[in-house]
Amino acid sequence: MKKVIIFNIIFCLLVIFICNTYYDSKSRSAVAYNYAASYVETNYEISRENIQAVEINYRRGMGLFEILLEDISTKEIFSFTVDIRKDYSLFYFEDHTKIHGKN
């Protein structure tokens, strides 16, 4: 009986850890998208309704988000690298739109 209780406790802790990690990664992705969309909105003067996320990749070894955004009306692609701290504040932001547009 003790083995079943210990197994259930370990299983519950594992499920809690996995759910916490999953939702943390999704919220970090949403915050990174928000920083990139705000940057496009202010610097390229495109309204937020016309911005669509094409791809959001998380580079695990580096801890960076690679974000591709598209302007719906002109089909222009914007490429960014975003790094976020543990408290969801912006640590690093780089615009690769000019480099991405040439290739």
Side-chain angles (χ1 to χ4, degrees), residues 8-100:
N8 285 336
I9 291 173
I10 291 173
F11 180 73
C12 289
L13 290 175
L14 182 65
V15 168
I16 290 171
F17 175 74
I18 290 171
C19 290
N20 187 25
T21 304
Y22 175 76
Y23 286 116
D24 183 54
S25 69
K26 291 297 179 184
S27 61
R28 287 173 53 87
S29 175
V31 169
Y33 167 77
N34 188 31
Y35 282 125
S38 296
Y39 182 84
V40 169
E41 187 177 21
T42 56
N43 293 332
Y44 292 103
E45 298 176 358
I46 299 172
S47 66
R48 192 173 285 256
E49 291 83 26
N50 292 335
I51 299 171
Q52 177 182 356
V54 175
E55 189 174 343
I56 300 175
N57 289 327
Y58 181 67
R59 299 179 73 183
R60 293 206 185 269
M62 300 179 70
L64 299 173
F65 286 94
E66 291 180 341
I67 300 175
L68 291 176
L69 300 178
E70 179 183 25
D71 181 9
I72 296 172
S73 59
T74 63
K75 303 294 184 193
E76 185 178 359
I77 301 289
F78 304 99
S79 176
F80 303 102
T81 301
V82 180
D83 190 10
I84 297 173
R85 292 187 181 106
K86 294 289 182 191
D87 63 348
Y88 302 109
S89 62
L90 183 64
F91 179 69
Y92 175 78
F93 189 88
E94 189 171 355
D95 185 1
H96 298 288
T97 303
K98 305 273 190 228
I99 298 169
H100 181 70

